[in-house]
Amino acid sequence: MSDPEPSEGVDPVGTARVALVTGGSGGIGRATAVALGQHGHRVAVGYRRDRESAEKAAAEIDGMAVELDVTEPDSVDAAFSGVEEALGPVEILVNNAGITADGLILRMSDDQWRDVLSTNLDGAFHATRRASATMLRRRFGRIVNVGSVVGSTGAAGQANYAAAKAGLIGLTRSVARELASRGVTCNLVAPGPISTAMTDALTEKQLGELVGIVPVGRMGTAEEVARVIAFLCSDAASYVTGAVVPVDGGASMGH
Ligand code: NDP
């Protein structure tokens, strides 16, 4: 396995590296994979079910699609091994895979709680643990967790999702502290309402309420989140770690 060659013309992004994006078949993950590819990185696009979307995204950036269920440590391990064999050691990890299963606390089932926690929080733990040994050895790494404004503000009907996203903040800051001295950064982006399949499921009324709290006055796009993630993954972001970076049109100002 050879080190990635620095690619030309990508400054201030810096060296071309191998990246793995979980949930790369969905809206924000797909846009992130494409942005990282455009920055010159070699990208593995993770998917759980939607292989076609992941392969389409991978084809756009000359990357690869890789099957990975973040809730299963064995699946995560197999995916990393496949990427290492095909592209080289993973130096950029974007923990983006996520689901919602909304419901009021009074009626929330154990399955709703566990499914959301195990995908959004356990999933990031599994992938970060698998990635960290290599990053420590190489004395370089970029980990970006995709949280949500809801992780700080809470949201009625989303106790499971908000708890998972709040947990990701603690995970991010702890990993940042553990790995900082070895050139590995760990940050979290906290998107506000973004137009993807996840928000397509909402009613007009719910969307109106969401946009109502956004000073910019509209939903964000997956690409607007992806650009911030790609920056945090770049060499240029070497002094940014443990940060919670809102990408929310101003929605969480003051929180
Ligand atoms: P999408 O529904 O478009 O994408 C979700 C992605 O997660 C899909 O690629 C899906 O894969 C993947 N996924 C789900 N479960 C698993 C699993 N067990 N293992 C691996 N992958 C899995 O949603 P978004 O793009 O909107 O969401 C991406 C992230 O952004 C999530 O973490 C979400 O919580 C966060 N976010 C989104 C916001 C929004 O408004 N859209 C706001 C704030 C945060 P597949 O389809 O292949 O099964």
Side-chain angles (χ1 to χ4, degrees), residues 139-212:
R139 295 191 167 265
F140 181 91
R142 295 280 185 266
I143 301 167
V144 178
N145 296 321
V146 181
S148 166
V149 282
V150 162
S152 307
T153 63
Q158 292 197 310
N160 50 359
Y161 185 73
K165 296 302 192 184
L168 272 181
I169 296 176
L171 174 69
T172 301
R173 290 178 172 157
S174 302
V175 170
R177 284 185 188 280
E178 280 185 38
L179 308 184
S181 66
R182 309 286 278 277
V184 181
T185 65
C186 183
N187 294 289
L188 179 139
V189 295
I194 308 297
S195 299
T196 68
M198 193 174 268
T199 44
D200 285 350
L202 300 174
T203 63
E204 282 293 313
K205 184 169 173 278
Q206 287 171 316
L207 285 174
E209 282 167 9
L210 277 179
V211 171

Side-chain angles (χ1 to χ4, degrees), residues 37-179:
Q38 288 168 346
H39 276 205
H41 302 303
R42 290 185 281 168
V43 186
V45 184
Y47 66 93
R48 177 191 47 167
R49 294 190 187 131
D50 191 353
R51 180 178 178 166
E52 202 184 324
S53 288
E55 283 180 342
K56 248 170 97 181
E60 244 180 78
I61 48 170
D62 205 17
M64 69 181 278
V66 61
E67 186 177 357
L68 125 130
D69 182 339
V70 295
T71 65
E72 299 288 344
D74 288 348
S75 167
V76 171
D77 185 43
F80 269 84
S81 299
V83 175
E84 284 161 357
E85 205 170 299
L87 303 180
V90 175
E91 291 182 306
I92 295 173
L93 169 66
V94 181
N95 286 312
N96 161 79
I99 58 167
T100 52
D102 295 355
L104 296 172
I105 194 74
L106 196 66
R107 283 192 286 272
M108 186 170 286
S109 68
D110 290 350
D111 281 351
Q112 272 174 300
W113 178 265
R114 281 199 204 102
D115 288 351
V116 169
L117 266 289
S118 82
T119 305
N120 295 274
L121 185 55
D122 298 8
F125 159 63
H126 295 145
T128 300
R129 180 177 59 185
R130 178 59 176 77
S132 60
T134 304
M135 291 179 177
L136 282 170
R137 219 171 21 249
R138 298 177 70 78
R139 295 191 167 265
F140 181 91
R142 295 280 185 266
I143 301 167
V144 178
N145 296 321
V146 181
S148 166
V149 282
V150 162
S152 307
T153 63
Q158 292 197 310
N160 50 359
Y161 185 73
K165 296 302 192 184
L168 272 181
I169 296 176
L171 174 69
T172 301
R173 290 178 172 157
S174 302
V175 170
R177 284 185 188 280
E178 280 185 38
L179 308 184

Side-chain angles (χ1 to χ4, degrees), residues 220-235:
T221 66
E223 289 71 24
E224 286 174 310
V225 181
R227 286 198 286 270
V228 177
I229 296 175
F231 166 71
L232 292 170
C233 292
S234 70
D235 288 0

